[in-house]
Amino acid sequence: MATLVMGCHNDTPTMLMAGSGWDEIVKTDKNGHILWRHKLEKDQECNEVTELANGNILYAHRTGAKVITARHEVVWEYMAPEGTELQSASVTKEGNYLLGQCGCPAKIMEFTPQGDKLKELVFNTGIKKPHSQFRRIRKTEKGTYLVPILSNGEVHEYNEDGHLQQVVKVGGVPFSLVVLPSNNWLVSLGDAHRLVEINPQTSEVIWEVNEYDIDSVALQYVAEAIRLENGHTIICNWGGHARNSQPTASVVEIDSDANVIWKLEDKDNLGLISTIDPHWHLTYLR
């Protein structure tokens, strides 16, 4: 496959993809044709990847986080200590790098793009095994941090000092969370084969899709989900815990009535997909 040098976001219909149990990060077109690939090191896996405004790529790889150029040069790197996992690496609205480190204790860290540590919060999830703690964390507009806890179907909200503010029961195995403009949460529930939009104040489910609600696409492990400005939703349908070999889309975009707008089905050339950064949609929420 040809290797393309990636620049800033534009109208080219491409996307970055990676996943738990897959040893690469790739950039493809909407048909899944691979345009660029980055090989991960042994025992690494990526559950979060983002292309930055300058074309560099930030990603978590379980053993730490990196920023690389399109030519695979390392611009910045953080290595997680032995006995911990780092599955969450994202960009805050201020442009800083937000990392979530699983461990006993767990940590939330913010770094400037120059690598200076701005903040480190230490907290206890109540779960001993780091791999069972969390995957994706998010910072809210009010400066708090949302941590979906895999093992107990809860979202924990911590204030800027690391103190637990609230616990919201969401069920399932919550992998990721997006705070919508309405302040509702879009929560991916992993092995519950379910994606929900909930009101965090009342726990009311406002909208949902379940295992067989999407025509021709059975939801497997619901990993990253993205809500688009037009109301559509992109779902990473991770197949690592598939209960049978029935073919189903690895990524699907649906409207609010669960009608399929677009889907990606290419298990021969692509690995297990749990994270995506789609560049044909210039405005979306993560």
Side-chain angles (χ1 to χ4, degrees), residues 25-43:
I25 299 169
V26 302
K27 190 171 191 179
T28 77
D29 62 19
K30 284 190 71 173
N31 296 315
H33 300 137
I34 296 175
L35 308 173
W36 175 92
R37 62 175 77 214
H38 176 73
K39 190 75 172 179
L40 299 175
E41 297 174 23
K42 183 181 178 182
D43 297 326

Side-chain angles (χ1 to χ4, degrees), residues 175-223:
F175 177 93
S176 69
L177 180 154
V178 176
V179 180
L180 303 175
S182 63
N183 289 321
N184 290 337
W185 294 349
L186 183 69
V187 189
S188 303
L189 295 180
D191 275 331
H193 316 287
R194 189 177 184 220
L195 175 69
V196 297
E197 177 184 338
I198 70 167
N199 180 328
Q201 303 304 317
T202 65
S203 297
E204 178 188 3
V205 175
I206 307 299
W207 175 88
E208 65 184 300
V209 284
N210 292 284
E211 186 170 8
Y212 299 113
D213 289 346
I214 305 171
D215 185 40
S216 78
V217 178
L219 290 182
Q220 299 184 61
Y221 186 105
V222 179

